[in-house]
Amino acid sequence: MSTVLVIEEEKVLRETITEILNLSNYEVILAKSGQEGVQKAKKNYPDLVLCDVIMSFMDGIETLSAFRSSPELKNIPFVFLSGMSKMSDFRKGMNLGAEDYLIKPFEPSELLNVIEAQLDKLNYKESKELVKLNRDKTVLKLQQQVDMMKLKWQSCIKSASQIQNLILPKQNEIEKLFPDHFNYYNPKY
């Protein structure tokens, strides 16, 4: 079950959004202000944030800025809710790092479509990262196997060298028996 943090000052809208999300099997965390939303996000780490733009104390822009500057919150998808419908307002929110912008009043299906689209993007990104992580683990495991094989072969070569040194006569013994001699010793390792 995905968790959605709803930051909205207006009580009726907050309750309406909560009802829509609960009926669609989302867990909802409510906040009345941007400050409260940031605190609750740090405590509960939601999957997505729906935030009003115009609020007292800490508006939506400041709230988004707080999310993006926080290492633990910066990757949470952030969707603005606003009655401001000018393209410049929309662009401002998107340029600041919001993933989407929903204009009030909205239909429940619009809200759910925006949330599902953002969570699908998040799941795709996470699955891509999981594939990369699995690939990295596989490469590491193969590298460890190669290192183990290398150690095994080095150990075998060292053992063979020790056996050869024990079997072959010593240099001083050969000099006593054959004063005019030469050795051609070329081990393969």
Side-chain angles (χ1 to χ4, degrees), residues 64 68 74 76-78 80 92-100:
L64 174 60
R68 294 302 179 243
K74 70 180 180 181
I76 298 174
F78 201 97
F80 275 129
K92 183 177 179 183
M94 299 299 281
N95 289 339
L96 291 171
E99 277 70 29
D100 212 334

Side-chain angles (χ1 to χ4, degrees), residues 50-66:
L50 294 174
C51 182
D52 190 10
V53 175
I54 300 174
M55 296 184 290
S56 309
F57 308 113
M58 184 179 194
D59 68 12
I61 303 296
E62 294 169 323
T63 304
L64 174 60
S65 180

